[in-house]
Amino acid sequence: MNDTVGMRMLRWAVLVLGFAFLYLPIVLLVVYSFNSSRLAMVWAGFSVKWYGELMRDRQMLDAAWVSLRIAFWTATAATVIGTLGAMVMTRFRRFPGKTLFGALVTAPLVMPEVIIGLSILLMLVSVGGALGLPSKGMVAIWIAHVTLTVSFVTVVVSSRLQELDRSLEEAAMDLGANRLKVFFLITLPIIAPALVSGWLLAFTLSLDDVVIASFVSGPESTTLPIKIFSSVRLGVSPKINALATLLMMAVSLAAVIGWWLMYREDKRRQRDMQLALQDNS
C-alpha cells in the first residue's frame, strides 16, 4: 500500500516538474511583459506601458507583418504540396523511384537548416535569374520555408492516410463517384484534422525560423525572428516580452479555434454514422 502511494506521488511529482520545466519560462515571460522597469528581468511594478511602446515601434510591427504573411502563404503552399506528396506515397502503387521520392521528400527533416538556407541561396543566385525569381526578399524566404516545411506536412498527412479505411473510398467509387469526387467528398473531410495540424505546424516553423531566413532575407523583408535576434544582442527589452506574449496568445487562440472546428466536425461525423446505422437497422 505504501509502495503504491509512493509511486503515485512520484508520478505526480515528475508530472509537475515536467510541466514546470516546459511552461514556467513562458509564465515568467508573460508576467515580466507587465513590468514597468526598463530592465526585462527586474520587477519594478505592474504596467502596460511596454505594450504601448510596442504598438509605436514601426520597425517591429513591420517585421511582424512580414513574418505573418510569409508564414500564412508558406503553410498554405506546404499543405497543398504535402498533401499531394502524401497521396503519392500512400495511394499510388510502387513505381520506379518511389523509394528515392520518399527519401527526397523527408530529407529536410534531418538536414541542418544551415545547409538548406545556403543551398536555397545558391540555387536562387545561379538559376533564379533565368526563372525570374529574386535571390533575396519575401519570395525567396517563402520558397525556402516551403522547402523546409513541406516534409513535415507530408509526414503528418501520410500517417493519417495510412490509417484511413480505404473501403469507404472503394464503396464511393462502386457507387459511381470518380477519384476526384471521392477525394473531395470522402477523403478530404476525414483527413481534415491532419491538414489543420500540418498547416499549423508549417505556420509555426515558418514564423519561428531564423537560420534559413537570414540567408535569403533582404533590406525590405526582415522577418520578426531576425529583428528580435538582432535587438536581443543589445539586451532584452520588455517590448520583446510584450511581443512574445501577444504572439503566444494569437497562436493559442488559433490552436483552440482549430481544435474546436475539428471537434465539431468529428461530432457531426459520429452523429451522421449513428443516424445511418439506425436507418439501416
Side-chain angles (χ1 to χ4, degrees), residues 83 164 169 182-193 195 269:
T83 302
L164 178 64
E169 298 174 331
V182 168
F183 175 77
F184 282 105
L185 296 182
I186 303 297
T187 308
L188 193 61
I190 295 177
I191 66 172
L195 297 180
R269 190 182 304 114

Side-chain angles (χ1 to χ4, degrees), residues 18-98:
F19 277 111
F21 178 79
L22 292 174
Y23 295 108
L24 186 59
I26 298 177
V27 173
L28 290 175
L29 183 146
V30 174
V31 170
Y32 278 97
S33 69
F34 298 100
N35 184 15
S36 62
S37 173
R38 286 187 171 274
L39 300 177
M41 297 304 294
V42 177
W43 183 259
F46 181 86
S47 175
V48 295
K49 71 174 185 178
W50 296 112
Y51 287 89
E53 292 289 335
L54 176 63
M55 294 298 109
R56 289 188 290 269
D57 192 336
R58 194 71 253 170
Q59 292 183 350
M60 192 71 72
L61 294 179
D62 290 342
W65 178 235
V66 168
S67 290
L68 289 174
R69 282 188 291 170
I70 293 175
F72 175 82
W73 291 113
T74 295
T76 303
T79 301
V80 174
I81 299 174
T83 302
L84 295 176
M87 292 293 294
V88 172
M89 294 290 294
T90 58
R91 290 293 182 266
F92 282 56
R93 295 181 178 179
R94 294 195 61 84
F95 55 87
K98 183 176 181 179

